[in-house]
């Protein structure tokens, strides 16, 4: 069982009202069925278009909205859409068709609480909703694995400062780049927040970086954790 799954089980099983936004009617129907299986998560509305979704969330005031990235435009529109959805203290779980690191970073910066890869939607949606409803962050296991594997694969032939990072330090740097806090990184990796701080201190020293943002910038500039665009 993953750390995220264990954390989800520890979250009090209070009823959670959910609104679903997805352009695919079949997906909405399957989600509604999956979430009405005695787990305390209830779909109180659904929408197939972004314009209707905002009105629905304002009217129903759900604890969580599960929304397909396809319903949100990119750039400024994306930020405005997320802001509109979260205005009523609603948490957002974003469902993405691809393991898009650029989208993940943007989503976390704009306040999205959960990032679920569509192929694992029905396996991960309940723990994602539970964690996000309780104020935690959820990222699909596939995305975390991708970051770890690609970071590990990049360890050969990179700048000598980056090559000096241990595998764990590389994992921490990758999660810093997605916008997670020290506490959230600790949760993802199953380690203490103090340990994360120690890793970060060593990362800054090895990269000769002034702060965490500088460290991420160095890593991107050297192609260590460059976003992989799809399409």
């Amino acid at each position: 069982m993953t750390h995220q799954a264990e954390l989800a089980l520890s979250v009090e099983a209070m009823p959670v009202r959910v609104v679903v936004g997805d352009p695919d009617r079949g997906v909405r129907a399957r989600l509604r069925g999956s979430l009405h299986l005695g787990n305390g998560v209830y779909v109180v509305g659904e929408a197939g278009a972004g314009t209707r979704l905002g009105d629905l969330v304002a009217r129903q005031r759900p604890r969580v909205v599960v929304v397909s990235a396809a319903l949100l435009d990119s750039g400024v529109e994306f930020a405005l859409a997320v802001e509109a959805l979260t205005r009523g203290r609603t948490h957002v779980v974003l469902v993405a068709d691809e393991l898009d690191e650029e989208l993940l970073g943007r989503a976390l910066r704009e306040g999205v609480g959960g990032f679920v890869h569509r192929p694992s939607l029905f396996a991960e949606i309940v723990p994602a909703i539970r964690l996000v409803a309780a104020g935690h962050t959820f990222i699909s296991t596939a995305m975390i694995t991708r970051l770890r594997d690609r970071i590990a694969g990049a360890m050969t032939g990179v700048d000598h400062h980056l090559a000096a990072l241990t595998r764990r330090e590389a994992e921490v740097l990758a999660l810093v780049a997605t916008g997670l806090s020290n506490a959230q990184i600790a949760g993802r990796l199953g380690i203490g927040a103090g340990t994360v701080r120690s890793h970060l201190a060593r990362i800054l020293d090895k990269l000769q970086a002034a702060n965490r943002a500088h460290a991420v910038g160095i890593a991107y500039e050297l192609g260590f954790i460059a976003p992989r665009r799809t399409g």
Side-chain angles (χ1 to χ4, degrees):
M1 180 179 292
T2 66
H3 178 80
Q4 291 188 131
E6 291 174 349
L7 185 57
L9 289 176
S10 70
V11 175
E12 183 180 358
M14 62 181 294
V16 179
R17 290 162 50 86
V18 174
V19 162
V20 174
D22 195 288
D24 188 321
R25 181 178 298 177
V27 170
R28 298 200 306 271
R30 286 187 63 195
L31 271 174
R32 188 171 59 249
S34 297
L35 298 177
H36 286 186
L37 295 176
N39 51 36
V41 179
Y42 304 97
V43 177
V44 296
E46 59 182 71
T51 51
R52 183 170 180 270
L53 181 63
D55 293 337
L56 185 60
V57 169
R59 185 168 65 253
Q60 293 291 346
R61 296 186 178 180
R63 182 65 174 168
V64 176
V65 54
V66 178
V67 58
S68 167
L71 258 64
L72 305 180
D73 292 328
S74 61
V76 175
E77 290 76 14
F78 179 92
L80 292 176
V82 172
E83 181 184 1
L85 293 175
T86 59
R87 189 171 297 145
R89 303 184 72 179
T90 295
H91 299 281
V92 177
V93 173
L94 187 70
V95 180
D97 293 334
E98 305 290 342
L99 293 176
D100 186 334
E101 296 161 40
E102 187 176 31
L103 175 61
L104 170 63
R106 187 195 320 146
L108 293 174
R109 286 193 299 271
E110 299 302 339
V112 169
F115 183 97
V116 176
H117 189 212
R118 188 173 293 278
S120 56
L121 175 60
F122 296 99
E124 295 185 332
I125 191 58
V126 172
I129 289 172
R130 282 283 174 207
L131 286 174
V132 170
H136 300 288
T137 301
F138 181 95
I139 299 176
S140 272
T141 300
M143 174 58 86
I144 293 177
T145 299
R146 173 173 178 155
L147 287 170
R148 289 179 179 176
D149 290 348
R150 198 149 62 75
I151 289 295
M155 292 298 287
T156 302
V158 299
D159 179 88
H160 73 281
H161 294 305
L162 292 172
L165 298 182
T166 66
R167 181 184 178 89
R168 178 63 87 189
E169 289 164 357
E171 291 172 349
V172 169
L173 180 57
L175 293 177
V176 168
T178 68
L180 297 187
S181 67
N182 288 359
Q184 291 167 333
I185 293 171
R188 296 301 157 268
L189 298 179
I191 58 180
T195 303
V196 173
R197 287 193 294 272
S198 295
H199 285 312
L200 279 171
R202 288 192 291 272
I203 289 168
L204 297 183
D205 181 60
K206 290 178 180 180
L207 298 186
Q208 299 179 11
N211 51 47
R212 60 198 291 148
H214 187 197
V216 170
I218 291 171
Y220 271 102
E221 287 174 7
L222 296 173
F224 189 52
I225 49 175
R228 179 179 298 172
R229 293 176 174 81
T230 58

